[in-house]
Amino acid sequence: MADSIKSISRIKFLPAGNDLQAMVLLDARGNIQAMDPNAQPTFKKLYGTTLLIGKPFPGSAENEAAHPFGDAVRLAMKGKTTTSEIECIAVNGKVYYYNINCSPALDRNDNVLAISLALRNITEEKMSGMALDNAQQLIDSIFHTSDIGIAIVDYNNRFVKTNTGYNKLFGYENGELEGKKYTITIPPGNRKESLQKLQEFFSGNCIDEERIAIKKNGEQINVFRTATLLNNADQTKYLVITARDISETRKFQQLLQNTEKASHLAGWEMDVATRKISCTAEMYNILEIAEEEFQKLSYPELLERFLDKKTRSVVQQALDDTIKKGKPFTIEIPLITSRQKNKWLTITCTPIRLKSQTTWLRGTAQDTTARKESALQLERLSLVASKTNNAVFIADKNGKTIWVNESVKKLTGYSKEELLGKSAIQMLQEIEADKTTVKEISKILMKRLPVSSAIKMNKKDGTPIWLNIDITPVYKDSNVLNFIAIGVDITDIIKAREEQKIKSTLQQQQRLFNAIANNFPDGIIGLLDKNLHYVFAGGAEIKRLGIPPEGLVGMNIFDHLSDKSNHDARPFLLRALKGDSVLFDIDMKEQTYSVNAVPVHVGGKEDLLVLVVLQNITLRKKTEKDLLETLQKEKDLGEMKTRFVSMASHEFRTPLSTVLSSAYLIEKYTTTEDQPNRQKHLQRIVSSVDMLTEILQDFLSLGQIEEGKIHVRPVEFNISDLVNKLTREIKNNLKKGQQIIYDHKGNLLVTLDPSLLKHIIMNLISNASKFSPENSSIEIRTTQKNQQIMLAVRDFGMGISEEDQKHLMERFFRGANAGNIQGTGLGLHIVSKYAELMNGTVECTSELDKGTEFIISFKPQ
């Protein structure tokens, strides 16, 4: 042992170069015996550690703190090899990645003689690989996003590739646009201009803009288009063009602008950090200023331009309180427009906070000048209220009645004394006004807003009347002073118009229902009578199915479509006739429909109809199915990766340990008498290398199969010669006493790919040998009958359970009873794929402890 340690300490390492590799040699106790020139600077750079010959390697002791390489060294001291990839954070904060191999050298009694620790710096390739993976995932994610249209156009103005979103936007099938001119999506009158712009884009002058485009069916749409110039490595130029449908956005923008203009309501927001204010177009109308001029003004300049000194102070204080305390506010202020016009503005403000800090302010600004002037007018008009025949009420700021005119008693029958001191809501409740209307009026008055409503009530003597009541708050300096209510008797008008109103309402509802039903997308709306016959039907799906709407009236729900669907739907529809709401799915004409049926009472209990809504959910069902399949594939991929890691760590460790230990021991046999020992260990190395070669060959074959690189080359050959040759080659690899029995029936000349067939036979014989005991037989049978070829390999070994037989052909699968028997779990998967390539199928019959037989049948080529 001492001599071994001395010889280890005399080893000289060659420089590894460029810090790509470092190696340290330790004795059995973890003390450093030797190191290559790169080891010292590597560990110094990573951990500030200085390695000293004769001293313990950092982290090798059991009671020492954790060290990135300590676990591997301690395992090697126990005779175990570690091969792994680790992440190291250096003292300077940088992250490095290393492949490490820590292996013990053992004597004949499996005692540890020495330990080698080798490192390879893979940081650059690791980071490059991660960056490439992330970049590719990002590109794939963006390109295949269906909500955004993406197209690649070459210098000849032709589509190279379009994604699903682009095809869907313009109404084309996937791949249909590829190779066509870009101008196919441009209206004819705009194509010349569009081609000129494309040439400008290829010169690098790309701009984003709104454009008019044309779909395959001729429909014109508004799109927002972006173009990016892409220079390929071979100097080829492409344009990456995105398109987004903004037709609806344009409509809603116009609607929003019209709404803002009609209500004199503008939106605004302010970046608290920069005090930059942005607003909608109505703000410029309120302030009577051009947008360009407004954008040039800073926050202080805006306040000074439109507000007097007192109002500026109020606004500034409100904004500062909101920024500091995060509380919203609503204030009414006077302002002077750019045209020197006086206005009143009601401003609301809501803070947007992040981590207890106000970052943005958002709110509205409404021109309330007209309302303000109305309030002043009401104050003047109250002087003449006593002279009107309408009922006039004046209440204080809390809503308590403080004055009524004489007409109130004429209209309601209640005296002034009975009404004073009561709120408008209390009075309405006492005179038995409609409760729903009273509740709505109450909500509006709570917000200090004006309200106008027609309400039904009873006079003091019980006579019903209708009053149109207008209640308006009166403001002064942003404070409510009073409420003024005016009641007008409209009983005669209501009675005269009520019948006409009911009639008009019914007609309008009928038109509305017809419009909804006839334009119902992807479905059908209908009414069924007690015999389950249509009395009404409408919806876009009727036209798509090629049936006129009137053609369904009087028919069962699925007449002209599917008798089976009629039969399947009947139990559900009968339940709806009994008063239940039901929901069920029906398949017909290769489409799936969701049917919602609910009872509808149009008169008495006997006048019952069934409202049916059919929705085409074919696309949704397909999407759900595709999603489930995608999730299953992700799950299968995860399981495959787990199996691969488990298999690789197990299968590579044993042959590598054998090679290392044998190589070390060969060095000890230096005399001629030791030649038998050297020869034995050389044979162990060769066997281990052959084992590794077989494993790597399986990986290579799997990769070639997955990439579609395996090509079948059938030729005519003598199958008996092939099998006999293979059995002679594999004979030395069988277990002790095992023998192969081969038999053939039929024509010896077959037409298959001999290379693929050889791999299949070798794999099946190898498995039969590994899973069978010594001194057992392996039977091989080949048969050719009617140009159909059959290959069977049978053993009398441990067998395979019924549960495991379901997964035999899966990648990396190994049976539960395989134990420590060497294998990658890829062999039978490759066998099944090779057989499939040659138009063959694989069958397995097996019984535990009685053996297994694989039968492969090849149909004529």
Side-chain angles (χ1 to χ4, degrees), residues 39 73 100 118 134 170 174 204 212 225 235 264 294 318 358 365 370 372 414 464 466 541 599 721 729-730 785 812:
V73 172
I100 70 166
N134 291 338
F170 290 98
N174 287 339
I212 300 295
R225 181 185 69 185
Q235 303 304 313
H264 304 292
F294 181 92
T358 301
K372 194 72 174 178
Y414 289 92
W466 279 89
E541 197 69 10
D721 291 346
E729 291 179 2
I730 203 172
K785 184 178 181 181
F812 304 115

Side-chain angles (χ1 to χ4, degrees), residues 399-431:
K400 301 296 183 182
T401 304
I402 58 176
W403 184 85
V404 295
N405 68 352
E406 290 298 327
S407 297
V408 171
K409 186 172 183 180
K410 295 178 183 178
L411 288 175
T412 67
Y414 289 92
S415 67
K416 183 186 300 184
E417 291 72 24
E418 290 177 295
L419 299 176
L420 291 178
K422 295 179 180 177
S423 69
I425 303 303
Q426 288 175 320
M427 287 190 290
L428 291 172
Q429 290 171 342
E430 284 190 8
I431 58 182

